[in-house]
Amino acid sequence: MNQQTMNQADADQATKQDGRPPWPDLAGRALGGSVIYANDELFAERENLIKAEEPAFRPHTFGHKGQIMDGWETRRRREKGSDSAIVRLGCGGVARRVVVDTSYFTGNYPPEVSVEACGAEGYPSPAELAAASWTTLVPRSAVAGDARNEFDVAAGPRVTHVRLTIFPDGGVARLRVYGEPVPDPRLLPATIDLAALENGAVVTGCSNMFYSSPANLLLPGQARVMGDGWETARRRDQANDWVEVRLACAGSVELVELDTSYFVGNAPGWAALGSDGGDLLARTALQPDTRHRFAVAGGPVAGHVRLDIYPDGGMARLRVFGRPTGAARAALADRFLRLLPEPQLAGLLRTAGLPPDEAARRAAARDGLDSLDGLPPSVREQFRLSP
């Protein structure tokens, strides 16, 4: 079983808990997504497209430009054409499902949409992205009003931006791009949060998610409210609740953080953290509304962890800081290079010193780390690989 298949199997197992999409929303504001361009947003702001919360509607709430809508809405076109918006994903990854949500747009939704994607180096401007090589995730397709229009996407290369086009005009409440995060190993420091969703960690199972998803534990930043964490139902038996996480990669664990922020009357009384490399934290008393940090002696290597909370309750965040093993670093770099779009990889290889023809040949071959053969040691050092 290859790494991508393993990622998918773990994600599928996790989603069986409640039927939600098995991948995070790569475009969402919670991961750092941003709507960097829209050709028109006269009736409603483009930023609404990536809000984490579900769309809402307050009838008879009017501003100077009409009913206030929770989404992106353009003016009525009086000439041929279409409207578009570009989203920079919060973390690059492989898109697997797109949702174009037209909730509460009834007489003003676009009858057709398309979604394209590209992979780009750095942080290009909208003008620079106009010259990028875009691929189709969702071909021009009919959509319904006041509905979650879902489109499954075949796994393809890593993408960093998506472009939503609506034909000819109208409103969309939310754009979701669910997928597998693929971190850029050049941007990972020596010690990383092995349990970070943006680095590729994923929840593979849990005992209960009555109030909120355990995937929230792996989100970046601090929780803003109690609902940003994972909370279970109250237990009336002698067992305890738990969550299992496949880490972004195998690493030597140095520090763990168990955060109960905003959980005041419903924080667990105790918690323990185990792993496939041994116990990381023995059963320990927790305090409400507190970031607990614990040093881990000996730096045990772990690839999976299990958080047990006693007996139930809520946690805001789980952090597992550690140093990826050499083999894990190489695997991250190999996967990243194999999943880069050909134009992006060819550009990277040209910058590293390869002639254009050779760079194009290696990019087309998708040989992962072998693509770097013969390049200066400094190129491998960018990926934090030993010479």
Side-chain angles (χ1 to χ4, degrees):
M1 182 180 289
N2 61 32
Q3 185 66 49
Q4 184 165 323
T5 304
M6 290 173 62
N7 293 351
Q8 183 57 48
D10 286 345
D12 286 344
Q13 178 62 33
T15 197
K16 289 177 183 177
Q17 300 289 331
D18 68 348
R20 298 174 187 173
W23 314 280
D25 178 12
L26 302 178
R29 178 68 72 180
L31 275 181
S34 175
V35 187
I36 63 172
Y37 168 82
N39 70 299
D40 186 286
E41 51 183 330
L42 185 136
F43 285 118
E45 299 83 7
R46 66 197 192 203
E47 287 81 9
N48 291 331
L49 280 172
I50 59 171
K51 288 164 63 174
E53 59 268 27
E54 293 301 306
F57 181 71
R58 292 186 298 163
H60 310 298
T61 305
F62 290 91
H64 180 68
K65 296 178 181 178
Q67 170 69 46
I68 297 174
M69 299 295 292
D70 185 12
W72 167 53
E73 185 181 2
T74 68
R75 73 191 74 203
R76 299 188 188 212
R77 279 190 167 270
R78 301 309 185 197
E79 67 286 329
K80 291 184 178 180
S82 58
D83 293 322
S84 63
I86 297 177
V87 176
R88 185 188 66 241
L89 302 181
C91 59
V94 176
R96 301 303 301 269
R97 182 179 301 165
V98 171
V99 176
V100 180
D101 188 342
T102 59
S103 291
Y104 304 110
F105 287 92
T106 52
N108 51 351
Y109 67 93
E112 295 178 310
V113 303
S114 69
V115 181
E116 301 162 287
C118 74
E121 286 284 295
Y123 306 93
S125 67
E128 292 169 321
L129 287 169
S133 177
W134 294 84
T135 60
T136 299
L137 297 181
V138 179
R140 184 167 175 169
S141 305
V143 293
D146 195 23
R148 280 177 57 90
N149 299 276
E150 300 192 7
F151 303 91
D152 286 332
V153 177
R158 179 183 187 268
V159 298
T160 58
H161 297 75
V162 294
R163 180 167 60 195
L164 168 66
T165 302
I166 58 176
F167 303 91
D169 55 38
V172 173
R174 298 288 187 271
L175 174 67
R176 309 295 193 200
V177 182
Y178 296 106
E180 304 167 28
V182 180
D184 185 338
R186 297 169 297 177
L187 304 180
L188 297 179
T191 297
I192 67 171
D193 181 3
L194 299 168
L197 188 153
E198 60 187 338
N199 290 337
V202 63
V203 171
T204 57
C206 76
S207 59
N208 186 278
M209 55 170 72
F210 185 86
Y211 287 109
S212 50
S213 171
N216 292 342
L217 291 170
L218 315 184
L219 288 173
Q222 297 182 30
R224 299 167 300 167
V225 294
M226 188 173 66
D228 282 351
W230 165 53
E231 185 180 2
T232 70
R234 299 191 187 207
R235 277 196 171 268
R236 304 305 186 191
D237 56 24
Q238 301 306 307
N240 71 281
D241 287 318
W242 52 267
V243 60
E244 294 176 340
V245 176
R246 178 183 57 76
L247 300 178
C249 65
S252 178
V253 179
E254 301 173 347
L255 178 77
V256 299
E257 181 177 307
L258 308 182
D259 185 354
T260 60
S261 293
Y262 296 103
F263 289 93
V264 180
N266 50 354
W270 306 264
L273 188 65
S275 78
D276 52 346
D279 289 342
L280 301 178
L281 180 68
R283 180 164 169 163
T284 302
L286 298 182
Q287 298 298 323
D289 195 23
T290 302
R291 294 175 64 195
H292 307 77
R293 309 189 86 194
F294 305 95
V296 178
V301 174
H304 294 75
V305 297
R306 170 171 162 145
L307 173 65
D308 282 272
I309 60 174
Y310 302 91
D312 54 35
M315 298 285 297
R317 295 289 186 267
L318 168 66
R319 307 292 190 211
V320 180
F321 296 101
R323 300 173 70 91
T325 65
R329 282 277 183 190
L332 287 175
D334 187 74
R335 180 172 183 244
F336 173 75
L337 291 167
R338 290 181 187 277
L339 289 174
L340 281 186
E342 284 188 33
Q344 187 181 0
L345 179 55
L348 185 157
L349 296 174
R350 288 195 303 271
T351 301
L354 284 179
D357 289 348
E358 177 64 10
R361 186 191 68 78
R362 293 195 188 190
R366 295 190 178 278
D367 286 336
L369 279 176
D370 291 343
S371 302
L372 306 183
D373 287 350
L375 292 173
S378 59
V379 178
R380 295 182 65 85
E381 291 170 5
Q382 291 179 21
F383 292 91
R384 299 189 182 273
L385 300 170
S386 300

